[in-house]
Every structure is written in C-alpha cells, then in structure tokens.
Amino acid sequence: MKHTTTPRTRRGRGPARRIGRTFALVLPVVLVLSGTLAVARVNWSGAPSNSVLAAASGDVSTRASSRAPQEVLRDRLLLELQEKDPGTALTHLQQAVNNRPSLAKHCVAIARALGRAAVRVYGASRAQSYARPVCDTSFASGVATQHS
C-alpha cells in the first residue's frame, strides 16, 4: 500500500460554503429592508385609513400649518398686494411685526419681496410711491433691485 507524504487539500471551498456566505451577507439586508417597510406601512395616526401614504397625502390646511409663520405671512401679504395695494400690505406687515416680535428678523426679506412684487404688478414708479419706512425701507430696496 502506498501512502502519500503530501497532504491533499481541497482547492475550492465548495458550493455549500459559498451559498452560506452569500446567505449570511444577504439575510441581514433583507431583514432590515422588510422591517423598514413593515414599520412604514403601519398606520401610526390611529385614524382608520386604507392608504399606506395617508400621512403624506394630508389636506392643504395641514400643510399650511406646518409652514413657518413668516412664509405664511409673506404669502398672505403678497396676495393682499395683488388684491388691494402695496400700502395695505405694508401696513399689515408692520402690524404683524408689532404683534409678533419674533417676525422682526424676517421683516426685511418680506418687505423686499413685497417691493419686487409691487414692481411686477404696478410698475416701478407707481410701486415706489407706496414706499414707507417699514423694516428700514426694505420695500423701497426691493423696488429698486427689481427695477434695475
């Protein structure tokens, strides 16, 4: 009987080991993704709903309440500028800043936006006639930048 002195080693690890390694790498990813999808599908609001995306398809009033107060004020004043005149919008801007001092840091940006919108609606010379010292004459600055 003849014995070999060199040990015989297997060149490959075999298909079972490769499948096991692949499974060990893929399984955690699949579990995390399926768990994430399961959590996303749960209706956490407590209200009965058939839609999976009920939170994302809320009505307009819900979205409006989630917007920043200065954005709501700016949009309201821009609408008022178009419906009435820039003077009324500037008066209401000053009243809003007086009532809510936290809006003061946004007053300049809102007044400039009103000035630019006034130029688009009324023209530069007529828009300039509505200028007043609200927010350090930012309205006039917005008119000037839009006009040039």
Side-chain angles (χ1 to χ4, degrees):
M1 183 172 245
K2 191 174 180 181
H3 295 287
T4 60
T5 56
T6 59
R8 296 176 76 187
T9 58
R10 218 174 157 174
R11 291 191 178 226
R13 296 284 185 186
R17 185 162 178 114
R18 272 185 267 133
I19 292 172
R21 280 191 157 182
T22 303
F23 191 65
L25 291 173
V26 173
L27 182 64
V29 174
V30 171
L31 290 175
V32 167
L33 288 176
S34 64
T36 303
L37 291 174
V39 169
R41 294 182 70 91
V42 172
N43 182 3
W44 295 101
S45 67
S49 175
N50 294 334
S51 174
V52 172
L53 301 174
S57 64
D59 57 54
V60 175
S61 64
T62 304
R63 277 186 261 145
S65 67
S66 66
R67 292 180 22 203
Q70 68 270 13
E71 293 173 355
V72 173
L73 176 65
R74 183 193 64 229
D75 292 346
R76 184 172 54 90
L77 292 174
L78 287 171
L79 182 64
E80 187 173 16
L81 181 137
Q82 291 175 355
E83 291 176 349
K84 296 180 182 174
D85 61 59
T88 307
L90 287 171
T91 300
H92 289 147
L93 173 61
Q94 187 64 50
Q95 289 171 350
V97 170
N98 290 342
N99 292 339
R100 287 185 75 179
S102 62
L103 292 172
K105 61 184 171 187
H106 305 287
C107 184
V108 171
I110 294 171
R112 280 193 187 134
L114 289 172
R116 289 189 298 267
V119 170
R120 285 192 300 272
V121 174
Y122 296 101
S125 60
R126 187 166 173 210
Q128 189 63 41
S129 69
Y130 289 103
R132 35 177 100 151
V134 176
C135 305
D136 298 326
T137 64
S138 296
F139 177 83
S141 171
V143 170
T145 58
Q146 184 68 21
H147 179 62
S148 43

